[in-house]
Amino acid sequence: MVEAATIAPPLGARSTLGIDTLVWGVGLALLALFGLLLAEMFAAGLPVLSLEFITGEASDAGRSGGISAVLVSTLWVVALAVGIALPLALGTALYISEYLGRGSTLYRLIHGSLDVLSAVPSVVFGLFGNAVFCELLGLGYSLAAGALTLVCMIVPVMVKASVDGLTAVPTELRAAGSALALSKPALIGHIVLPAALPGVASGVLLGVARALAETAALLFTSGYVLRMPDSPLDSGRTLSIHIYDLAMNVAGGDRFAYGSATVLVILLLMINGAIALVSSYAHRRTTDS
Amino acid sequence: MGYLGDAMDQRQACHEPAAGEISLCTDQLCLSYGSKQALEGVSLEIKPRAVTAIIGPSGSGKSSFLCCLNRLTDLTAGSAVSGQVKVGSTEIYGTQRHDPVQLRRQVGMVFQRANPFPFSIWKNLALPLRHHGVRDKQQLRQRIESALQRVGLWDEVSDRLNTPAGALSGGQQQRLCIARALVLEPSILLMDEPCSALDPISTQRIERLILELKERYTIVIVTHDLAQARRIADHVALFWSFEGKGRLIEYGPAPQIFHHPTHELTGAYLAGHI
Amino acid sequence: MVSDRLLHSLLALFAALAAGLLLLVVGFIAQEALGLLQQLGVGAFLFHGEWQPYAGRFGLLPMLLTSLLLMLGAVAIATPLAVVGAACINFYLGRHSAILARRLVEIAAGIPSVVYGLWGLTLLVPLLAAIKQPGASLLAGMMVLALMILPTIVVVVDAGLRALPTHYRENAEALAIRRSGFVFAIALPAVRGSVITGATLAAARAIGETMVVMMVTGNLVQLPGSLFDPVRALTANIALEMAYAMDEHRSALYVSSLFLLLFAVALVLTNQLLLGWRGRHG
Ligand SMILES: Nc1ncnc2c1ncn2[C@@H]1O[C@H](COP(=O)(O)OP(=O)(O)O)[C@@H](O)[C@H]1O
Ligand SMILES: [Mg+2]
């Protein structure tokens, strides 16, 4: 006789409480750790922030005064680097996505070398930049040399974001343009690029973020003179180098190191926010039509 | 003149065009996407200033055929065409490199899904005109107005030409796309299921428009709506897929195809048995 | 309007320039390094422990080992924590807290390494120093590096988990599998590719990192005897000596750059190969 089926008894009474607790514990501890670190930084840094700190001149090796020279140097380096990298990256991205077939050898070659380039340690770029831009090109320790070094580092990031933006342009738009007998340059200029603008914009912002965060590659290219630069051919110290120098080489520089770190992180947060805005705008635009 | 031609006559599918008309015909046209063959041996001669409807089950290569006629296949990486497509006296896949941009000025296209550019109504129409050399503001205005008049959109949008085209209704967007194809004054108009995403009223408008347009244009329209083909087509071509390869199985004047089909598949398809 | 040919050539030129940057960097470093490498042989760098640039002794072994240990330690600490963290965000936190948590992780992933170095230097090193002097040590380096790469791994694994088809979860529920069982037996194994990607990316970042290790490891060239010994990593060595190195000494720095470069490239290529292999073999 076959017995009537009964509801299965619980297999193994093992409780999963232990595992659940572990996951909760690790997860919350990690989040708390990062939260606390950020809070610590703001707690130490925000009190330092003032108009005087942002616009004033540094004195006493950076222990007092302000960081105006540092901010100006940072602006020079970032603007130059992104300004030079943008046409290069955009041109490359256009070539890859509009003229090369996916999976062609050339496509893989360019992509592969950019992938590798983005994995090269930044101190190696520093050594390279020092030898090539500072010495070979004779730029010396200068904001321009630092910017050129950064160009090598941010091009891969910007190409990748731009290619993503370009490939996201709907094929219907390309077909519509082609069917209207637009030439390829016109198709790219009037249809594809405007539609890919959000992707390109976030590529630029990523490049800015990368340039702002970089330290090691700049130590021996842009230098670390704490003076207001008159031109990009002067040496100057960016925010990240300023933080490093205050923390490592200036006794009692911690307070202002945290102040500068706060400024840097706030700038990066603003860039993050801008990227989020741009991509939500792009999202809205594509779902609208 | 024969439609499919007898087997003997196949090589001679493309006749000399009558004077003053841009003829369109294909001969032994084959198309493959990579290793997948989508079209095999399609030979037909499109009649000028008439509506030719291309019908057939989905996947039988109707859209692919249309894309061969203005070389839109160029956009698909890995696609390969063999055989002939002749527009006027030009063999568009011929050995001497033919400029597809010139071709596409003569052969306009309207797609299944309305695809206005993400610009204003005005700019959607002005962009192709400007690109092809119309700079004069007065002339631009005139040609845009007449294109919009022709698709019956002028009265509806003349007061908001600067609003985004994406804000129009589906039917309006599709008529805008037709107007956009017409501003360049092509002689041949290709339409790929232009009404399949539209409501009956918009469909009716577009059908009326097609009947008006055939006075001046050669129209090739893909449709899966047999009733629509009956309403607007002068000639009908039926495509069928054999093991994934699209072939032309019957081609002739609409009344003949609808009332006395010769191919047994045609009869079954029209009767809705397949 | 520019012609198609012109635009094509122009863009091809840009692409060649961009891709050529890699050749330029690698070529330059290799060219500067090869002379000394040929003169002394690879063995003189790899298997010798003495770094006395002024005496012509360029043994990289202690710094090479330090770099490897730092990388392995950091990845070993960070990966399991990051994986569990990503699981927590995906399957334990509620919708809104998960969004907040992701924001926090993204922010942490974008914080410059010099700020991690600052945290390590001012918060962790004194703590370790209280246990055993001097505080700046191999362990400090591992911990701060782990902290720095952790958000990156979380981001990658989280993306993998989010891309899992929802029916996995539904099927598991229907089979009366508990949440923890689902997470550890189904979800995490299903995204092991993402875990590998995240860990390799993180490893490449860790071995190439300069600022953190320079700030928290003490920069003493020696084979570490314990976790609490101060050490110097390959990257830190380049940054510390670049300013004044001349001639052979400078070439030796290029040799260490070449090693670093090869290592980072190997990591990226391994990752690509693994991804490609997984792509082909399911
Ligand atoms: N871009 C493409 N790549 C590969 N195969 C395609 C592509 N476009 C269409 N096909 C294939 O070609 C065949 C014909 O497609 P299509 O011309 O769209 O048919 P229809 O318009 O009659 O429905 C189908 O089997 C389809 O899968
Ligand atoms: Mg179709």
Side-chain angles (χ1 to χ4, degrees):
Chain A
M1 280 295 286
V2 180
E3 283 180 34
T6 54
I7 290 181
L11 304 168
R14 247 178 342 146
S15 150
T16 59
L17 195 66
I19 299 181
D20 284 339
T21 319
L22 178 86
V23 177
W24 275 117
V26 170
L28 294 184
L30 285 179
L31 294 174
L33 179 59
F34 283 107
L36 280 176
L37 283 174
L38 282 169
E40 161 78 21
M41 186 193 68
F42 283 123
L46 281 178
V48 178
L49 298 198
S50 64
L51 196 64
E52 157 72 8
F53 183 69
I54 301 293
T55 59
E57 262 181 53
S59 57
D60 196 11
R63 278 186 209 93
S64 57
I67 55 169
S68 60
V70 173
L71 288 177
V72 170
S73 302
T74 309
L75 191 68
W76 267 120
V77 170
V78 172
L80 275 178
V82 174
I84 298 170
L86 179 61
L88 197 58
L90 193 55
T92 306
L94 281 173
Y95 184 67
I96 289 180
S97 71
E98 304 302 308
Y99 285 92
L100 289 184
R102 249 172 199 286
S104 74
T105 317
L106 206 53
Y107 178 93
R108 283 205 300 256
L109 205 71
I110 296 178
H111 240 268
S113 55
L114 289 175
D115 274 351
V116 172
L117 198 63
S118 64
V120 174
S122 56
V123 71
V124 175
F125 281 110
L127 192 58
F128 169 81
N130 178 270
V132 173
F133 301 126
C134 299
E135 289 175 10
L136 225 60
L137 289 190
L139 289 171
Y141 279 31
S142 65
L143 298 171
L148 286 172
T149 309
L150 282 184
V151 168
C152 307
M153 305 182 65
I154 63 180
V155 159
V157 189
M158 291 168 70
V159 170
K160 194 168 153 30
S162 308
V163 167
D164 287 349
L166 288 167
T167 38
V169 174
T171 41
E172 290 105 66
L173 285 190
R174 292 171 202 271
S178 296
L180 286 171
L182 294 190
S183 65
K184 193 136 185 177
L187 186 68
I188 291 174
H190 290 307
I191 315 289
V192 176
L193 259 187
L197 216 51
V200 176
S202 40
V204 171
L205 290 168
L206 281 174
V208 173
R210 201 54 212 282
L212 270 178
E214 186 49 49
T215 319
L218 293 176
L219 271 174
F220 300 101
T221 51
S222 71
Y224 36 96
V225 175
L226 185 48
R227 202 183 342 105
M228 181 64 79
D230 292 327
S231 84
L233 293 177
D234 282 350
S235 171
R237 171 193 285 200
T238 65
L239 255 179
S240 50
I241 294 183
H242 191 53
I243 297 168
Y244 164 74
D245 197 61
L246 284 178
M248 282 292 278
N249 305 332
V250 178
D254 284 5
R255 218 166 63 87
F256 272 32
Y258 270 107
S260 310
T262 304
V263 174
L264 181 56
V265 170
I266 288 177
L267 285 176
L268 287 169
L269 286 179
M270 278 157 52
I271 292 172
N272 264 354
I275 292 178
L277 269 184
V278 164
S279 56
S280 85
Y281 166 75
H283 184 73
R284 229 173 331 125
R285 201 172 61 169
T286 46
T287 44
D288 261 4
S289 60
Chain B
M1 193 179 300
Y3 274 86
L4 271 184
D6 357 355
M8 309 281 152
D9 204 23
Q10 284 272 305
R11 316 196 159 278
Q12 269 292 311
C14 295
H15 296 267
E16 280 308 305
E21 267 165 3
I22 299 282
S23 65
L24 172 60
C25 73
T26 72
D27 188 14
Q28 291 298 318
L29 177 68
C30 301
L31 166 72
S32 48
Y33 298 108
S35 58
K36 179 187 168 31
Q37 188 167 3
L39 286 177
E40 189 176 55
V42 177
S43 305
L44 88 174
E45 187 177 343
I46 303 285
K47 306 293 171 188
R49 291 171 205 260
V51 176
T52 302
I54 302 206
I55 60 173
S58 63
S60 55
K62 306 182 297 291
S63 302
S64 303
F65 176 72
L66 224 52
C67 288
C68 290
L69 302 183
N70 66 347
R71 279 192 58 170
L72 218 58
T73 49
D74 291 5
L75 294 194
T76 311
S79 64
V81 174
S82 68
Q84 282 189 11
V85 177
K86 251 178 142 174
V87 174
S89 53
T90 325
E91 219 181 283
I92 65 171
Y93 289 97
T95 39
Q96 87 270 37
R97 239 183 96 71
H98 181 78
D99 182 9
V101 171
Q102 282 316 104
L103 166 71
R104 290 175 193 145
R105 284 206 58 173
Q106 280 178 13
V107 186
M109 186 160 188
V110 175
F111 298 81
Q112 181 169 6
R113 253 184 61 192
N115 52 1
F117 299 128
F119 309 141
S120 66
I121 297 168
W122 171 268
K123 192 165 175 211
N124 261 279
L125 298 167
L127 177 68
L129 282 173
R130 284 217 191 90
H131 181 68
H132 293 290
V134 183
R135 303 249 173 256
D136 180 43
K137 195 90 185 168
Q138 187 60 38
Q139 214 193 343
L140 263 181
R141 213 189 145 70
Q142 211 175 2
R143 292 181 70 159
I144 287 175
E145 179 177 342
S146 95
L148 284 174
Q149 292 275 18
R150 229 181 301 165
V151 298
L153 210 50
W154 179 251
D155 295 335
E156 293 164 46
V157 303
S158 60
D159 54 339
R160 50 185 172 128
L161 290 176
N162 286 319
T163 54
L168 295 174
S169 76
Q172 289 174 322
Q173 284 189 19
Q174 190 63 299
R175 279 184 286 148
L176 176 65
C177 290
I178 298 176
R180 194 176 60 180
L182 295 180
V183 280
L184 291 178
E185 304 282 347
S187 35
I188 298 167
L189 191 60
L190 310 175
M191 307 177 102
D192 189 357
E193 305 194 22
C195 304
S196 65
L198 300 185
D199 59 284
I201 305 223
S202 304
T203 301
Q204 209 183 6
R205 290 202 72 128
I206 290 183
E207 286 180 7
R208 266 211 318 269
L209 175 63
I210 291 172
L211 290 176
E212 284 163 29
L213 290 175
K214 79 170 179 185
E215 305 292 320
R216 296 172 56 186
Y217 299 90
T218 303
I219 294 176
V220 184
I221 178 171
V222 170
T223 176
H224 60 212
D225 180 353
L226 292 176
Q228 182 174 60
R230 276 179 219 270
R231 290 192 294 266
I232 59 174
D234 303 304
H235 308 277
V236 174
L238 176 64
F239 278 57
W240 205 267
S241 161
F242 295 95
E243 289 160 359
K245 299 172 189 170
R247 283 201 217 144
L248 172 64
I249 59 170
E250 187 152 9
Y251 180 37
Q256 182 193 318
I257 298 277
F258 285 120
H259 301 300
H260 312 285
T262 50
H263 202 291
E264 57 185 303
L265 280 173
T266 315
Y269 182 66
L270 294 177
H273 294 326
I274 304 183
Chain C
M1 200 77 229
V2 281
S3 81
D4 189 25
R5 290 274 288 280
L6 181 68
L7 185 68
H8 190 156
S9 335
L10 196 71
L11 295 180
L13 182 74
F14 278 137
L17 266 175
L21 280 179
L22 176 69
L23 273 180
L24 197 69
V25 173
V26 176
F28 188 83
I29 302 280
Q31 186 221 325
E32 296 290 308
L34 279 182
L36 195 62
L37 257 182
Q38 275 168 349
Q39 191 186 326
L40 301 181
V42 182
F45 293 98
L46 283 186
F47 306 120
H48 287 271
E50 278 174 84
W51 175 259
Q52 285 158 347
Y54 295 116
R57 282 194 281 271
F58 301 112
L60 293 175
L61 189 64
M63 296 186 278
L64 213 65
L65 271 180
T66 297
S67 280
L68 284 178
L69 282 174
L70 282 169
M71 176 194 83
L72 290 175
V75 173
I77 299 171
T79 309
L81 291 177
V83 169
V84 174
C88 180
I89 291 176
N90 264 278
F91 303 113
Y92 283 72
L93 289 182
R95 246 170 61 88
H96 294 287
S97 19
I99 291 174
L100 281 180
R102 287 196 179 99
R103 263 285 126 77
L104 182 60
V105 171
E106 276 165 25
I107 291 172
I111 287 183
S113 59
V114 70
V115 176
Y116 279 99
L118 180 65
W119 277 329
L121 187 67
T122 55
L123 302 175
L124 179 68
V125 169
L127 250 154
L128 289 180
I131 302 172
K132 191 159 186 287
Q133 285 291 340
S137 58
L138 182 61
L139 182 61
M142 284 178 178
M143 289 172 73
V144 182
L145 281 179
L147 195 67
M148 182 187 86
I149 61 179
L150 203 145
T152 314
I153 309 181
V154 175
V155 168
V156 176
V157 177
D158 177 55
L161 287 174
R162 280 211 277 178
L164 281 183
T166 47
H167 68 79
Y168 281 14
R169 184 74 200 268
E170 286 153 15
N171 282 344
E173 292 287 336
L175 289 169
I177 294 172
R178 285 176 213 272
R179 177 168 64 180
S180 56
F182 168 74
V183 169
F184 284 94
I186 300 171
L188 291 180
V191 296
R192 63 183 180 283
S194 306
V195 177
I196 293 173
T197 304
T200 357
L201 284 179
R205 253 192 94 187
I207 197 143
E209 177 52 37
T210 311
M211 302 320 292
V212 164
V213 295
M214 205 156 52
M215 291 168 89
V216 305
T217 61
N219 296 323
L220 209 63
V221 184
Q222 61 171 346
L223 278 171
S226 87
L227 283 174
F228 289 94
D229 284 351
V231 288
R232 183 187 288 190
L234 220 45
T235 48
N237 187 51
I238 299 172
L240 288 165
E241 301 191 353
M242 184 179 350
Y244 58 86
M246 308 292 254
D247 309 324
E248 282 198 338
H249 184 189
R250 198 172 172 92
S251 301
L253 294 186
Y254 279 106
V255 173
S256 27
S257 284
L258 194 61
F259 287 149
L260 275 174
L261 203 116
L262 291 179
F263 208 87
V265 169
L267 279 174
V268 171
L269 293 184
T270 314
N271 186 41
Q272 300 264 349
L273 278 182
L274 283 175
L275 284 180
W277 188 83
R278 275 196 313 130
R280 265 176 279 124
H281 299 269

